Amino acid sequence: MTTQEQRSLPSPVVGGLGLLGLGIVLLGVGGFVRFHDNSGTGSDRWILPLGVLAALVAAGGVGVAFVSTQSRRWVGGALVLLDLVLVWQSASNGGFRFVWMADEGELILLEVAIGLIALLLLALSLQLPRPAASAGGLQWPARAALYLSGVVAAVIVGFFVGVRLYEAEYCGRPEGCDADDLTGLGWGVTGSLIALAVGVVVILVTEVVRRQQRKVGTPA
């Protein structure tokens, strides 16, 4: 590694951390994060354009983190610390709120998303140099993190799809559906289980195909 390359390494780290920090500041300024809100649901006076900008800026910071191993490690570590702070505040501070569209569970979804992105970045930072003949594939830590992130995302999406299907099928009828009806929850869990099963099948098929390709590419 040349001296010029060594000097250029901190740039993605500073850029990724800077964009991530700016995104957090924008969320606070926009009213999406509150530390002393005792209303129970969060204020409805947030500024949506700032929230969208914050999401784009934070996504840009994660994108910059992929430039180098060092930046992936630093930004991934920062996201772990951020997630720990969110969990700590949500558990100990009754006035802590994160609101986006004022739906229940948004803070939990944010914590899960940040944790999965951090896991993926840290796993990718463990990628070891490969010989030229075997280059081009992800090693097992990165694959495991990618599979886990995909399955968790699919399970969450499957849950909401199941709930929305139930609401569209039954809650629009004249008799409607009760607010405490557990049937919708059952539909959501069913959607999650289907997504989980599909995810496991996709992972198994991907690994089998990958192993077959490696056998074919192995010299006799």
Side-chain angles (χ1 to χ4, degrees):
M1 181 180 295
T2 65
T3 304
Q4 183 178 2
E5 289 174 336
Q6 290 177 340
R7 291 177 179 175
S8 65
L9 279 177
S11 297
V13 175
V14 174
L17 293 176
L19 289 173
L20 182 62
L22 178 59
I24 296 173
V25 170
L26 289 173
L27 282 178
V29 173
F32 295 89
V33 178
R34 296 177 180 271
F35 292 89
H36 304 288
D37 185 350
N38 295 312
S39 67
T41 57
S43 173
D44 59 354
R45 295 189 298 272
W46 57 85
I47 306 172
L48 187 57
L50 280 181
V52 175
L53 181 60
L56 293 175
V57 168
V62 174
V64 171
F66 281 95
V67 172
S68 69
T69 299
Q70 189 177 11
S71 60
R72 289 193 290 269
R73 187 176 298 120
W74 275 87
V75 175
L79 289 174
V80 170
L81 291 178
L82 175 61
D83 218 19
L84 291 176
V85 169
L86 291 177
V87 173
W88 166 56
Q89 282 294 307
S90 61
S92 63
N93 184 359
F96 179 71
R97 297 284 182 271
F98 169 76
V99 291
W100 186 260
M101 298 300 292
D103 290 333
E104 294 183 6
E106 289 176 341
L107 178 58
I108 296 176
L109 291 176
L110 177 66
E111 292 169 352
V112 171
I114 291 176
L116 291 176
I117 294 172
L119 175 63
L120 183 59
L121 287 174
L122 292 175
L124 287 172
S125 71
L126 298 176
Q127 284 275 103
L128 299 175
R130 286 174 170 268
S134 60
L138 293 176
Q139 296 169 359
W140 71 264
R143 295 202 314 277
L146 185 61
Y147 291 152
L148 177 61
S149 300
V151 168
V152 171
V155 167
I156 293 174
V157 171
F159 178 85
F160 285 107
V161 168
V163 172
R164 294 295 182 267
L165 288 175
Y166 167 76
E167 292 176 347
E169 179 69 21
Y170 294 101
C171 296
R173 297 180 179 180
E175 63 272 16
C177 55
D178 297 331
D180 58 349
D181 188 2
L182 294 179
T183 307
L185 178 62
W187 278 58
V189 172
T190 301
S192 294
L193 292 176
I194 293 174
L196 176 62
V198 172
V200 171
V201 171
V202 170
I203 291 172
L204 292 176
V205 171
T206 301
E207 285 297 304
V208 169
V209 171
R210 182 176 179 275
R211 179 167 296 184
Q212 292 298 323
Q213 290 177 341
R214 290 182 62 184
K215 288 181 178 180
V216 171
T218 302

